[in-house]
Every structure is written in C-alpha cells, then in structure tokens.
Amino acid sequence: MMKNGFLFIFLIFQSIHIFAQFTATIIDAKDKKGIAYVSIYIPEENIGITADENGKFTIKTSLTSKLIFSALGYENKSVAFADLKEIIELSPKFFELNEIRVFPKQMEELKINTFSETEIKNSFASSTVTPTIYARYFPYDTIYQHTPFIKSIKTSVRSFTKNSIFNIKIYGVKHDGGVGKELTNKNILVKTKKGIMFPITDVSKLNIQFPEDGLFIGLENLLLESNKYDSKELLNWPKDKPFRMHTYYSPLFNNVVIKDNFYTWVNMNGQWEIVSKNYSDNHMFKYSKLAIELTLSN
C-alpha cells in the first residue's frame, strides 16, 4: 500500500514537471515597448498563441519544448521553455526605405482582381491551436507601370463576434515562387463587425511599390479572446445529432473559386506551403483563392 502511494505521489510530481504554465511580455529590444500581436509557435506540439496588444501572453506547454516568436518587423526568436523569462526581447529588422513619392497633378488609379459578393463560395477558418496566415499570390503586369504603388486592400471576411481583428501582411516572392520576405515592418490591423464584411484598408502611407516578380497579400488570424467564439460541430454529418461545441476564432477569410492553383498559401507554425497540396482534385478548397482586391495608384 505504501509502495503504491509512493508511486502515485511520484506520478503527480512528474506530471507537474512535464507541463507548466508561463506568463511573459514581449518587448522591443531597442525601445523596450511591448510588441502587439506577436505569433508564438510550438512546432513540435503543433500549438501556439497570439500575444495581446501589449505583448503579454500566457501559455501552457512541456518543459522540454521550444517556443518560436514571430512578429512583423522583428527577427524571429527561438527560446527553450526552461530559458523563458518574464520579459522577452525581440530585435527589430532593418528595412530599406523606399524613395519619397512625388505626386503628379492628376492621380491615376487601377483596381485589380475585383470580385463581387456573388463570387464568394467558401471561407478559410483559423486554426484553433496555432496562429495561421493565408496568403494570395498577385503576379506582376506591365500595365502597373503607370500605377505602381499599392493604395488600398479590399478583403472579404465573415465574423461571428461583435468585433474582431485580423492582420494584413505583404510579402515578396522567393526565387522558387513561394512566399518571400516581408515588404513592410508595420502591422496592418483591420477591425470588423459581425457578419459578412468587405473592409477596405488604406495602405498608401506605407509607400509599397508593386515588385516586378509579384507579391503576396497575407491575412493573419489572431488567437485573441475578442476573436473567440463557440460553434456546434456535428460528429456524424449530415445528421443533426450528435454534436459538440468547438472553439473557433473570427474572422473567416472568404474565397472565390478559380480554375488553376498557385494562388493561395498557408502558414502554420512558421512554415509556408501551397494550399492545393492538402486537398484532392474535387475538394471545395482545391482551387480557392482569397477574395482580395488591390487598388494601385501613381
């Protein structure tokens, strides 16, 4: 009896030391200010979380795990759980500034990849365990020479919460056609209300010129309390029962359907891959691309 009791205590002791919860704040190594909405990945466990607007986060994981911190405009950082401190510093990346724009007397605009509400066919939801980024490829066209700068980005989202927030990211293209480096060091945060919305975000102040090798527009889900909602999930579809409640994060990113691929990529745990690799030829997401419209200007 004593032996069994000792074993029980030993197992409890082990379980306490295998998993632990930790709270910390992520700050800029230079100005010591909190960094908002940092993505935190634990690749080996396929989980993650998003820091809040002040850079604070709480996470529960194995003591043997490693955490990867990723934020726009900062170098990625990998830290072993055992080495975590209450304050985590990220180093800013160096970005070359574009030349100052001189506006002509008459502004020109060009809308590309326009879409209508009737073209919306399905949506990409967020992962419920790790921050997720979906990105759409935009090839270059010589007609953009007269309107080379990105003025605004129109998206289509569906939110199940009263107010939700997501992040827009802009990337270049790698030599192999994949998602490349960030083209800006600024978060482009978008707030949206409940329902199907079509927010238009002005990015003209970022002074981003459309690269000749194309670009990617990324939409990032943020695993924040304000984005969280519960939904019924059928266990034996299409029957109404049984079902369970499952937690998701708003918003969903709406898609239009096309005939070819290489347009939509997904990033989970810091790794990019093309979406069509995950689905069969007859799957509803096989040839989906994010509903994103760009307005270009000179």
Side-chain angles (χ1 to χ4, degrees):
M1 183 71 178
M2 181 65 69
K3 183 177 181 181
N4 290 339
F6 176 78
L7 178 62
F8 177 71
I9 294 171
F10 177 74
L11 290 175
I12 292 177
F13 180 80
Q14 271 202 322
S15 66
I16 292 174
H17 283 74
I18 290 174
F19 291 94
Q21 182 168 292
F22 192 85
T23 298
T25 301
I26 308 164
I27 66 171
D28 186 302
K30 188 175 181 180
D31 64 18
K32 308 302 180 184
K33 294 181 180 179
I35 304 173
Y37 309 123
V38 178
S39 295
I40 304 154
Y41 304 105
I42 307 176
E44 62 266 30
E45 297 180 25
N46 196 32
I47 61 173
I49 197 169
T50 304
D52 67 16
E53 65 272 17
N54 299 310
K56 187 176 181 180
F57 72 95
T58 299
I59 196 165
K60 183 178 181 181
T61 185
S62 167
L63 288 177
T64 61
S65 64
K66 284 189 176 181
L67 284 71
I68 297 175
F69 298 87
S70 177
L72 198 62
Y74 293 87
E75 301 289 347
N76 285 0
K77 187 171 187 176
S78 177
V79 182
F81 187 88
D83 296 330
L84 285 176
K85 299 179 181 179
E86 293 184 358
I87 299 296
I88 299 166
E89 296 186 353
L90 297 186
S91 300
K93 285 183 180 179
F94 175 77
F95 279 80
E96 292 185 3
L97 297 176
N98 293 328
E99 295 179 1
I100 298 175
R101 296 166 62 181
V102 179
F103 291 93
K105 293 181 179 180
Q106 185 175 359
M107 290 291 295
E108 295 183 32
E109 289 187 358
L110 174 67
K111 294 183 183 296
I112 61 173
N113 292 277
T114 59
F115 63 89
S116 65
E117 188 172 349
T118 58
E119 293 180 272
I120 302 300
K121 301 298 182 182
N122 50 47
S123 305
F124 286 127
S126 71
S127 163
T128 59
V129 294
T130 185
T132 306
I133 308 171
Y134 291 99
R136 173 180 166 179
Y137 171 64
F138 285 82
Y140 179 77
D141 194 304
T142 54
I143 64 173
Y144 303 163
Q145 293 177 354
H146 301 291
T147 53
F149 294 94
I150 303 175
K151 180 182 179 181
S152 65
I153 301 172
K154 177 183 176 181
T155 54
S156 176
V157 300
R158 183 179 183 185
S159 177
F160 292 91
T161 55
K162 185 177 181 180
N163 294 293
S164 62
I165 184 171
F166 66 96
N167 195 16
I168 297 178
K169 296 187 173 184
I170 306 176
Y171 304 91
V173 180
K174 293 171 62 176
H175 66 277
D176 62 358
V179 182
K181 295 181 179 180
E182 301 153 356
L183 298 183
T184 175
N185 62 345
K186 301 290 185 181
N187 280 320
I188 306 171
L189 299 173
V190 183
K191 295 182 179 180
T192 184
K193 297 180 180 180
K194 190 173 183 178
I196 297 177
M197 308 296 292
F198 299 87
I200 299 175
T201 306
D202 186 346
V203 296
S204 58
K205 291 183 179 180
L206 297 178
N207 201 32
I208 298 175
Q209 188 167 351
F210 204 115
E212 292 187 2
D213 52 357
L215 56 77
F216 284 88
I217 301 294
L219 306 181
E220 181 181 24
N221 281 110
L222 304 177
L223 273 58
L224 303 171
E225 285 296 319
S226 58
N227 290 349
K228 186 184 294 186
Y229 70 96
D230 293 323
S231 178
K232 288 184 179 179
E233 184 178 77
L234 294 175
L235 298 180
N236 189 21
W237 190 88
K239 295 182 179 180
D240 293 334
K241 294 181 180 180
F243 66 86
R244 66 179 178 183
M245 298 302 293
H246 197 82
T247 298
Y248 294 94
Y249 292 85
S250 283
L252 281 65
F253 301 128
N254 293 329
N255 300 316
V256 295
V257 177
I258 56 175
K259 295 181 180 180
D260 51 10
N261 56 11
F262 190 65
Y263 277 89
T264 303
W265 291 62
V266 62
N267 183 316
M268 298 178 66
N269 285 325
Q271 300 296 322
W272 287 102
E273 65 176 37
I274 195 166
V275 168
S276 60
K277 289 183 178 179
N278 299 327
Y279 303 108
S280 60
D281 288 338
N282 61 351
H283 195 280
M284 66 182 294
F285 290 128
K286 177 66 177 181
Y287 296 123
S288 293
K289 65 178 178 181
L290 293 165
I292 301 176
E293 174 187 302
L294 302 182
T295 297
L296 308 180
S297 67
N298 55 355

PDB file of all heavy atoms in Angstrom, residues 3 12 56 58 61 70 97 105 116 137 155 228 238 250 260 268 271:
ATOM      1  N   LYS A   3       3.894   1.395  -1.034  1.00  0.00           N
ATOM      2  CA  LYS A   3       4.599   1.456  -2.311  1.00  0.00           C
ATOM      3  C   LYS A   3       3.729   2.097  -3.382  1.00  0.00           C
ATOM      4  O   LYS A   3       4.174   2.934  -4.159  1.00  0.00           O
ATOM      5  CB  LYS A   3       5.029   0.054  -2.731  1.00  0.00           C
ATOM      6  CG  LYS A   3       5.831   0.025  -4.024  1.00  0.00           C
ATOM      7  CD  LYS A   3       6.272  -1.388  -4.327  1.00  0.00           C
ATOM      8  CE  LYS A   3       7.093  -1.409  -5.620  1.00  0.00           C
ATOM      9  NZ  LYS A   3       7.523  -2.794  -5.945  1.00  0.00           N
ATOM     10  N   ILE A  12       2.351  12.141  -9.784  1.00  0.00           N
ATOM     11  CA  ILE A  12       1.862  13.514  -9.681  1.00  0.00           C
ATOM     12  C   ILE A  12       3.034  14.487  -9.800  1.00  0.00           C
ATOM     13  O   ILE A  12       2.981  15.485 -10.507  1.00  0.00           O
ATOM     14  CB  ILE A  12       1.126  13.734  -8.341  1.00  0.00           C
ATOM     15  CG1 ILE A  12      -0.179  12.928  -8.322  1.00  0.00           C
ATOM     16  CG2 ILE A  12       0.841  15.219  -8.123  1.00  0.00           C
ATOM     17  CD1 ILE A  12      -0.925  13.037  -7.019  1.00  0.00           C
ATOM     18  N   LYS A  56       1.659  40.825 -24.051  1.00  0.00           N
ATOM     19  CA  LYS A  56       1.555  39.845 -22.964  1.00  0.00           C
ATOM     20  C   LYS A  56       0.894  38.560 -23.461  1.00  0.00           C
ATOM     21  O   LYS A  56      -0.022  38.591 -24.280  1.00  0.00           O
ATOM     22  CB  LYS A  56       0.745  40.430 -21.808  1.00  0.00           C
ATOM     23  CG  LYS A  56       0.722  39.548 -20.561  1.00  0.00           C
ATOM     24  CD  LYS A  56      -0.010  40.242 -19.420  1.00  0.00           C
ATOM     25  CE  LYS A  56      -0.026  39.372 -18.164  1.00  0.00           C
ATOM     26  NZ  LYS A  56      -0.729  40.041 -17.046  1.00  0.00           N
ATOM     27  N   THR A  58       0.052  34.152 -22.135  1.00  0.00           N
ATOM     28  CA  THR A  58       0.138  33.039 -21.188  1.00  0.00           C
ATOM     29  C   THR A  58       0.024  31.749 -21.975  1.00  0.00           C
ATOM     30  O   THR A  58      -0.879  31.606 -22.809  1.00  0.00           O
ATOM     31  CB  THR A  58      -0.984  33.104 -20.132  1.00  0.00           C
ATOM     32  OG1 THR A  58      -0.850  34.314 -19.386  1.00  0.00           O
ATOM     33  CG2 THR A  58      -0.907  31.917 -19.187  1.00  0.00           C
ATOM     34  N   THR A  61       2.681  24.508 -21.742  1.00  0.00           N
ATOM     35  CA  THR A  61       3.327  23.553 -22.634  1.00  0.00           C
ATOM     36  C   THR A  61       4.352  22.733 -21.873  1.00  0.00           C
ATOM     37  O   THR A  61       4.564  22.925 -20.669  1.00  0.00           O
ATOM     38  CB  THR A  61       4.002  24.285 -23.808  1.00  0.00           C
ATOM     39  OG1 THR A  61       4.536  23.326 -24.726  1.00  0.00           O
ATOM     40  CG2 THR A  61       5.121  25.177 -23.322  1.00  0.00           C
ATOM     41  N   SER A  70       7.393  35.236 -33.518  1.00  0.00           N
ATOM     42  CA  SER A  70       7.421  35.832 -34.852  1.00  0.00           C
ATOM     43  C   SER A  70       6.541  37.078 -34.865  1.00  0.00           C
ATOM     44  O   SER A  70       5.351  37.019 -34.546  1.00  0.00           O
ATOM     45  CB  SER A  70       6.906  34.820 -35.889  1.00  0.00           C
ATOM     46  OG  SER A  70       6.859  35.396 -37.175  1.00  0.00           O
ATOM     47  N   LEU A  97      14.222  52.046 -46.760  1.00  0.00           N
ATOM     48  CA  LEU A  97      13.086  52.904 -47.046  1.00  0.00           C
ATOM     49  C   LEU A  97      12.976  53.167 -48.543  1.00  0.00           C
ATOM     50  O   LEU A  97      13.980  53.347 -49.233  1.00  0.00           O
ATOM     51  CB  LEU A  97      13.236  54.237 -46.302  1.00  0.00           C
ATOM     52  CG  LEU A  97      13.244  54.149 -44.769  1.00  0.00           C
ATOM     53  CD1 LEU A  97      13.487  55.537 -44.179  1.00  0.00           C
ATOM     54  CD2 LEU A  97      11.951  53.556 -44.252  1.00  0.00           C
ATOM     55  N   LYS A 105       0.058  66.068 -60.787  1.00  0.00           N
ATOM     56  CA  LYS A 105      -1.142  66.879 -60.582  1.00  0.00           C
ATOM     57  C   LYS A 105      -2.404  66.042 -60.673  1.00  0.00           C
ATOM     58  O   LYS A 105      -3.375  66.294 -59.995  1.00  0.00           O
ATOM     59  CB  LYS A 105      -1.176  68.015 -61.616  1.00  0.00           C
ATOM     60  CG  LYS A 105      -0.066  69.055 -61.441  1.00  0.00           C
ATOM     61  CD  LYS A 105      -0.186  70.155 -62.469  1.00  0.00           C
ATOM     62  CE  LYS A 105       0.903  71.211 -62.291  1.00  0.00           C
ATOM     63  NZ  LYS A 105       0.802  72.298 -63.304  1.00  0.00           N
ATOM     64  N   SER A 116     -17.066  40.239 -56.757  1.00  0.00           N
ATOM     65  CA  SER A 116     -18.398  40.629 -56.297  1.00  0.00           C
ATOM     66  C   SER A 116     -18.832  39.699 -55.175  1.00  0.00           C
ATOM     67  O   SER A 116     -18.274  38.608 -54.990  1.00  0.00           O
ATOM     68  CB  SER A 116     -19.408  40.558 -57.442  1.00  0.00           C
ATOM     69  OG  SER A 116     -19.571  39.220 -57.892  1.00  0.00           O
ATOM     70  N   TYR A 137      -1.256  35.009 -53.978  1.00  0.00           N
ATOM     71  CA  TYR A 137      -0.245  35.489 -54.919  1.00  0.00           C
ATOM     72  C   TYR A 137      -0.852  36.447 -55.941  1.00  0.00           C
ATOM     73  O   TYR A 137      -1.921  36.190 -56.495  1.00  0.00           O
ATOM     74  CB  TYR A 137       0.378  34.297 -55.634  1.00  0.00           C
ATOM     75  CG  TYR A 137       1.285  34.647 -56.786  1.00  0.00           C
ATOM     76  CD1 TYR A 137       2.459  35.363 -56.576  1.00  0.00           C
ATOM     77  CD2 TYR A 137       0.972  34.259 -58.084  1.00  0.00           C
ATOM     78  CE1 TYR A 137       3.294  35.682 -57.631  1.00  0.00           C
ATOM     79  CE2 TYR A 137       1.803  34.568 -59.148  1.00  0.00           C
ATOM     80  CZ  TYR A 137       2.965  35.278 -58.912  1.00  0.00           C
ATOM     81  OH  TYR A 137       3.787  35.591 -59.965  1.00  0.00           O
ATOM     82  N   THR A 155     -10.778  43.358 -48.691  1.00  0.00           N
ATOM     83  CA  THR A 155     -10.901  41.946 -48.352  1.00  0.00           C
ATOM     84  C   THR A 155     -12.367  41.599 -48.111  1.00  0.00           C
ATOM     85  O   THR A 155     -13.232  42.485 -48.063  1.00  0.00           O
ATOM     86  CB  THR A 155     -10.081  41.612 -47.093  1.00  0.00           C
ATOM     87  OG1 THR A 155     -10.462  42.504 -46.026  1.00  0.00           O
ATOM     88  CG2 THR A 155      -8.598  41.765 -47.358  1.00  0.00           C
ATOM     89  N   LYS A 228     -12.617  35.066 -30.148  1.00  0.00           N
ATOM     90  CA  LYS A 228     -13.032  33.697 -29.845  1.00  0.00           C
ATOM     91  C   LYS A 228     -14.561  33.544 -29.853  1.00  0.00           C
ATOM     92  O   LYS A 228     -15.284  34.409 -29.366  1.00  0.00           O
ATOM     93  CB  LYS A 228     -12.484  33.283 -28.483  1.00  0.00           C
ATOM     94  CG  LYS A 228     -12.733  31.824 -28.114  1.00  0.00           C
ATOM     95  CD  LYS A 228     -12.255  31.514 -26.710  1.00  0.00           C
ATOM     96  CE  LYS A 228     -10.756  31.622 -26.593  1.00  0.00           C
ATOM     97  NZ  LYS A 228     -10.289  31.171 -25.251  1.00  0.00           N
ATOM     98  N   PRO A 238     -24.339  14.204 -42.298  1.00  0.00           N
ATOM     99  CA  PRO A 238     -25.125  15.438 -42.147  1.00  0.00           C
ATOM    100  C   PRO A 238     -26.227  15.365 -41.098  1.00  0.00           C
ATOM    101  O   PRO A 238     -27.104  16.207 -41.079  1.00  0.00           O
ATOM    102  CB  PRO A 238     -25.737  15.582 -43.548  1.00  0.00           C
ATOM    103  CG  PRO A 238     -25.981  14.168 -43.974  1.00  0.00           C
ATOM    104  CD  PRO A 238     -24.847  13.363 -43.398  1.00  0.00           C
ATOM    105  N   SER A 250     -12.691  34.317 -34.954  1.00  0.00           N
ATOM    106  CA  SER A 250     -13.088  35.183 -36.065  1.00  0.00           C
ATOM    107  C   SER A 250     -11.916  36.055 -36.481  1.00  0.00           C
ATOM    108  O   SER A 250     -11.013  36.325 -35.683  1.00  0.00           O
ATOM    109  CB  SER A 250     -14.253  36.077 -35.629  1.00  0.00           C
ATOM    110  OG  SER A 250     -15.464  35.376 -35.609  1.00  0.00           O
ATOM    111  N   ASP A 260      -7.191  27.431 -61.683  1.00  0.00           N
ATOM    112  CA  ASP A 260      -5.815  26.978 -61.528  1.00  0.00           C
ATOM    113  C   ASP A 260      -5.374  27.149 -60.077  1.00  0.00           C
ATOM    114  O   ASP A 260      -6.125  27.615 -59.243  1.00  0.00           O
ATOM    115  CB  ASP A 260      -4.879  27.743 -62.460  1.00  0.00           C
ATOM    116  CG  ASP A 260      -5.050  29.253 -62.345  1.00  0.00           C
ATOM    117  OD1 ASP A 260      -5.753  29.693 -61.416  1.00  0.00           O
ATOM    118  OD2 ASP A 260      -4.490  29.986 -63.167  1.00  0.00           O
ATOM    119  N   MET A 268       1.386  27.741 -41.061  1.00  0.00           N
ATOM    120  CA  MET A 268       1.084  27.278 -39.710  1.00  0.00           C
ATOM    121  C   MET A 268       2.396  26.869 -39.057  1.00  0.00           C
ATOM    122  O   MET A 268       3.202  26.174 -39.659  1.00  0.00           O
ATOM    123  CB  MET A 268       0.113  26.100 -39.732  1.00  0.00           C
ATOM    124  CG  MET A 268      -1.250  26.440 -40.340  1.00  0.00           C
ATOM    125  SD  MET A 268      -2.365  25.024 -40.405  1.00  0.00           S
ATOM    126  CE  MET A 268      -2.631  24.725 -38.653  1.00  0.00           C
ATOM    127  N   GLN A 271       5.735  27.782 -41.101  1.00  0.00           N
ATOM    128  CA  GLN A 271       6.129  27.126 -42.345  1.00  0.00           C
ATOM    129  C   GLN A 271       5.076  27.364 -43.427  1.00  0.00           C
ATOM    130  O   GLN A 271       3.881  27.182 -43.194  1.00  0.00           O
ATOM    131  CB  GLN A 271       6.306  25.615 -42.126  1.00  0.00           C
ATOM    132  CG  GLN A 271       7.357  25.262 -41.092  1.00  0.00           C
ATOM    133  CD  GLN A 271       8.756  25.681 -41.496  1.00  0.00           C
ATOM    134  OE1 GLN A 271       9.123  25.590 -42.666  1.00  0.00           O
ATOM    135  NE2 GLN A 271       9.553  26.137 -40.531  1.00  0.00           N
TER     136      GLN A 271
END
